[in-house]
Amino acid sequence: MTKDGPARPLRLDGQGKPLWLVCELTYKCPLKCPWCNNPLEFGSIRDELSTEEWKRVLRESRALGSLQLGFTGGEPLVRKDLEELVAEADRLGFYTNLITSTVGMDAERLGRLKAAGLKQIQVSLQSHDADTTNTLVGAPVHQHKIDMIREIKAQGFPVVLNIPVVRQNIAHTTAYLELALELGVDYVEFANVQYYNWALVNRDELMPTLEELRESEAAINAFRARIGKRMTIYFVIPDYFNGRPKACMNGWGSIIMTIAPDGLALPCQEARLLEGLDFPSVRDHSVEWIWKDSPAFKTYRGDDWMKEPCRSCDEKEKDFGGCRCQAYLLTGDAANPDPACSKSPFHHKIGQAIVEAHRPLRNSRPLVMRQAGAS
């Protein structure tokens, strides 16, 4: 027992440790992707952690057992101290990943990041086609991305190529894979867009049909069969069409901790949209206290918070009740069963969203591009 009531145990997946640390260094970004997972109000969040504050977060997280580290944003290359932070993370023993659009990167800076100890780079690329990429991100960056992928490989980094799958690019699956193979990419992730923040604003315009998803998956399977083990390809059908929700970050506050640019500590990158939870800041508390004792991180651990049918469901150890942010956005209560699950009493909301997204006139509405004040 604690003074706040029964203690909610950490899941065993990470042996009670935040194995994955996600550092959102900044919400600043030169691109305007209409599916961005940053908050709609990102423009008002300006008080970024300093270099020394980030270094303290890294030290405390590593002491707590964190192993994998993702530098992300926004665009992390905007931060002039990125190399210094990578070097500190490497000194502490983290396996460091950079999640980037490559805008702000050149061969010289890439060399500095390698010298600092960066281990892996994940690059977003929206299409094999320049017009599609440039239109979707709101900037003429396609060729720069291609050039930087070649340079990243030339400097010896393993590369994860990430494609955010939307209606506008899903027909490009095979051509995209051919380009990835030609570039020598190690891993390709077809990341079907999840509908939070900017993606939720644009859901009707972005959502592919089930038929398009099946055709894309078939194209991927055919490509896998043809190339064998030369490149690893990941594809997961979005939970809007799957009948079951994805495991929420392997369980709320189980193995992943996100630190937002202003120091807010979150169980996932979307969680700050949840009203009613007071997420702690690393400026006010230690990482250890946040992970082990903060009420916000305890809220949805374990299963004593679950409502029916989740509480008695024999699949709750697989999906941990689904996504709390999705439940909140679609039902108004983060503790409700995730509507993505066919067992949820709110599953009809997913069906309604699919119907609305596939109305014949949906293409007549322009995408709302990510930019301050656009929401």
Side-chain angles (χ1 to χ4, degrees), residues 54 67 143 154 249 329 374:
W54 273 118
L67 299 173
Q143 189 57 50
M249 311 304 290
L329 288 170

Side-chain angles (χ1 to χ4, degrees), residues 42-57:
F42 75 90
S44 65
I45 303 170
R46 300 187 180 94
D47 189 17
E48 295 179 357
L49 294 178
S50 68
T51 304
E52 292 308 312
E53 286 174 318
W54 273 118
K55 286 183 176 181
R56 178 175 61 80
V57 168

Side-chain angles (χ1 to χ4, degrees), residues 183-198:
L183 291 170
V185 167
D186 302 276
Y187 306 93
V188 175
E189 179 184 3
F190 279 79
N192 284 285
V193 164
Q194 300 296 304
Y195 298 105
Y196 312 101
N197 292 328
W198 295 91

Side-chain angles (χ1 to χ4, degrees), residues 93-108:
F94 280 102
Y95 184 87
T96 49
N97 301 264
L98 177 65
I99 302 165
T100 178
S101 68
T102 74
V103 178
M105 180 185 288
D106 56 24
E108 182 180 351

